[in-house]
Amino acid sequence: MFYQKLLPFIQSSTKRTYKRSQSIYMEGEEPQSLYLVKSGLIGLYHISESGKETFLRVFAKDSIFGHRSYFAQTPYHANAIALSESEIHIISKEQCNEICENHPDLLKELMKIISLELGEAEQRLAGLLDKSANTRIRESLVFLKLKYPQKVWTRKEVADFSGSTLETVTRVMTTLSNDGLIQKNGRDFKILDVDKILHYIDSAQG
Amino acid sequence: MFYQKLLPFIQSSTKRTYKRSQSIYMEGEEPQSLYLVKSGLIGLYHISESGKETFLRVFAKDSIFGHRSYFAQTPYHANAIALSESEIHIISKEQCNEICENHPDLLKELMKIISLELGEAEQRLAGLLDKSANTRIRESLVFLKLKYPQKVWTRKEVADFSGSTLETVTRVMTTLSNDGLIQKNGRDFKILDVDKILHYIDSAQG
DNA sequence: CGTTAGTTTGAGGCAGATCAACTTTGGTGG
DNA sequence: CCACCAAAGTTGATCTGCCTCAAACTAACG
């Protein structure tokens, strides 16, 4: 795996800790390094002038981030924010260059990662146009909670990820809970029936 | 530039011609090659089960496509369709492998291309959520027509690119034409005042 | 010129955003 | 351990952008 191959470079790298809501980098800044998540959860957010927040990507243990801007050679197009207490390895530009020059296998691995990310982004782009908010919210609940079960996802985070609002997320969750498809525990929740959540007949689109 | 570096590999590659609306590859197929546009215009489309078409990317002279699926090692996630008569070089999987193994500079170049594409996709994703259809249509008109002026863009193509409908595109274009910001010539149109088109006060969002 | 693909215009409806007021949760410190 | 309070969640009522459906029109090409 990618992370394994990267290990030798991490030995000599800086490690930093971030608390929830702390920013690792901000849109517009020049990329100076790559980041590797050692523990915790990082969210990549786009924030528009009007203040609308869009939750673009999640990074968990062993994921890298900051790679897009590094290779595009453009300023960051979004903000990286800790979603929970996180430890991050910071890989310097010099180390990155060394990797690129002398480790084509790692480069190819990175290529695969970014290709998958582009696929996901375009899939979501299309989904925003042909799926109802209700459907997107249900898919996001399943995706986020099954992939990162330890995290207590807020309604706002689900809303920003699904492209909706926290009020609408609340309403969908209330319905799902009443139908016994999820179980609410305080602010947290549990997925009870993945299939029914995803195949729920959405009156908005049959 | 990328295209220049790729030239040696193209000499021995197959060349094919596609008519407007002809498909180069379809979603779900296994990637067998990379494609390089020699002339014409290619559109990458996602088509949902309900039939909704989303226009993801445009490829003009000297752009490659098919690279995302090739490196992600997944089936194509979208359809590549000729938007006008086009000549395409087809670079075989074997040649691709050879490039990856022995030409890290080309690989890094590809990395940059795909990083920029991911940035654009995520920018558009966020735009769908915080900009009105009206704004997105005006931006798309400017982007598509200024970047590819020779192409007579249909209302449907603009709609699929902006995430809207052809009726709404028609209405926006009628307004812009009445205000003297674009000039309609039959089915084609000309951009007259980029700044005013983009800074148009959208009553929907100020 | 006939035919098809593309465009225009109108009328109607609704998903879900927005605004607002209230309740609950869970961490903090006295 | 309890009281407090900021952060998060709930619920209701309203409003609208623009999608959808429908029907008539026109460009462009063989």
Side-chain angles (χ1 to χ4, degrees), chain A residues 132-133 164-165 167-168 171 186-187:
Chain A
S132 66
S164 177
T165 60
E167 292 96 330
T168 304
R171 286 181 237 269
R187 286 175 182 166

Side-chain angles (χ1 to χ4, degrees), chain A residues 35-170:
Chain A
Y35 302 86
L36 187 97
V37 182
K38 184 166 188 197
S39 71
L41 221 50
I42 305 297
L44 185 71
Y45 273 83
H46 179 275
I47 301 178
S48 74
E49 295 177 36
S50 65
K52 173 86 183 174
E53 302 182 19
T54 306
F55 186 174
L56 294 171
R57 285 181 254 160
V58 200
F59 304 109
K61 182 166 158 47
D62 297 353
S63 343
I64 35 144
F65 64 96
H67 51 298
R68 195 212 63 82
S69 297
Y70 176 80
F71 287 102
Q73 299 172 286
T74 57
Y76 292 121
H77 74 317
N79 308 297
I81 296 164
L83 299 176
S84 56
E85 179 133 349
S86 304
E87 289 176 296
I88 310 287
H89 281 292
I90 300 176
I91 304 162
S92 72
K93 219 169 181 172
E94 290 68 38
Q95 282 179 304
C96 295
N97 290 336
E98 207 256 302
I99 290 172
C100 291
E101 301 305 325
N102 306 317
H103 302 269
D105 53 327
L106 265 174
L107 201 57
K108 211 176 164 186
E109 200 79 50
L110 263 167
M111 192 73 152
K112 178 171 181 170
I113 291 172
I114 218 168
S115 294
L116 290 170
E117 288 170 334
L118 176 57
E120 273 176 52
E122 293 186 330
Q123 210 76 42
R124 284 174 71 190
L125 184 48
L128 282 178
L129 297 171
D130 70 58
K131 291 174 183 171
S132 66
N134 191 297
T135 299
R136 271 148 33 211
I137 289 167
R138 282 182 284 104
E139 290 177 352
S140 298
L141 287 170
V142 168
F143 175 83
L144 293 174
K145 196 58 188 179
L146 293 190
K147 197 153 181 187
Y148 313 100
Q150 75 289 359
K151 161 84 174 142
V152 179
W153 294 101
T154 67
R155 313 296 187 256
K156 175 86 166 75
E157 284 162 345
V158 176
D160 291 343
F161 190 81
S162 62
S164 177
T165 60
L166 75 165
E167 292 96 330
T168 304
V169 170
T170 290

Side-chain angles (χ1 to χ4, degrees), chain B residues 132-134 163-165 167-168 171 186-187 204:
Chain B
S132 67
N134 190 296
S164 176
T165 60
E167 294 95 329
T168 304
R171 286 181 238 269
R187 285 175 181 167

Side-chain angles (χ1 to χ4, degrees), chain B residues 141-194:
Chain B
L141 287 169
V142 168
F143 175 83
L144 293 173
K145 196 58 188 179
L146 292 190
K147 195 153 181 187
Y148 313 100
Q150 76 288 0
K151 161 82 174 146
V152 178
W153 295 100
T154 68
R155 313 296 186 255
K156 175 86 164 73
E157 284 162 344
V158 176
D160 291 342
F161 190 81
S162 62
S164 176
T165 60
L166 76 166
E167 294 95 329
T168 304
V169 170
T170 290
R171 286 181 238 269
V172 171
M173 287 181 72
T174 300
T175 305
L176 290 176
S177 178
N178 289 342
D179 293 355
L181 307 186
I182 66 172
Q183 163 119 230
K184 294 202 224 173
N185 309 309
R187 285 175 181 167
D188 200 5
F189 67 95
K190 211 187 296 181
I191 301 286
L192 296 183
D193 192 331
V194 185

Side-chain angles (χ1 to χ4, degrees), chain A residues 14-26:
Chain A
T14 316
K15 188 166 79 176
R16 288 196 56 184
T17 305
Y18 296 87
K19 290 198 172 48
R20 176 166 151 76
S21 300
Q22 246 193 302
S23 143
I24 293 97
Y25 61 71
M26 296 280 279

Side-chain angles (χ1 to χ4, degrees), chain B residues 26-124:
Chain B
M26 297 280 278
E27 183 189 336
E29 291 176 14
E30 288 293 332
Q32 297 301 337
S33 23
L34 290 191
Y35 302 85
L36 186 97
V37 182
K38 183 163 188 200
S39 71
L41 220 49
I42 305 297
L44 185 70
Y45 272 85
H46 178 275
I47 301 177
S48 75
E49 295 178 35
S50 66
K52 173 84 184 175
E53 302 182 18
T54 306
F55 187 173
L56 295 172
R57 284 181 256 159
V58 199
F59 304 109
K61 182 165 159 48
D62 296 351
S63 342
I64 35 144
F65 63 97
H67 50 297
R68 195 211 64 84
S69 297
Y70 176 80
F71 287 102
Q73 299 171 287
T74 58
Y76 292 120
H77 74 316
N79 308 299
I81 296 164
L83 299 176
S84 56
E85 178 134 349
S86 304
E87 289 176 295
I88 311 286
H89 281 291
I90 300 176
I91 303 163
S92 73
K93 218 167 182 172
E94 290 68 36
Q95 281 179 304
C96 295
N97 290 337
E98 207 256 301
I99 291 172
C100 292
E101 302 306 326
N102 308 317
H103 301 270
D105 54 325
L106 265 173
L107 200 56
K108 212 175 162 187
E109 200 79 50
L110 262 167
M111 193 72 151
K112 178 169 183 173
I113 290 172
I114 218 167
S115 294
L116 290 170
E117 288 169 334
L118 176 57
E120 275 177 51
E122 293 186 329
Q123 210 76 42
R124 284 174 70 190

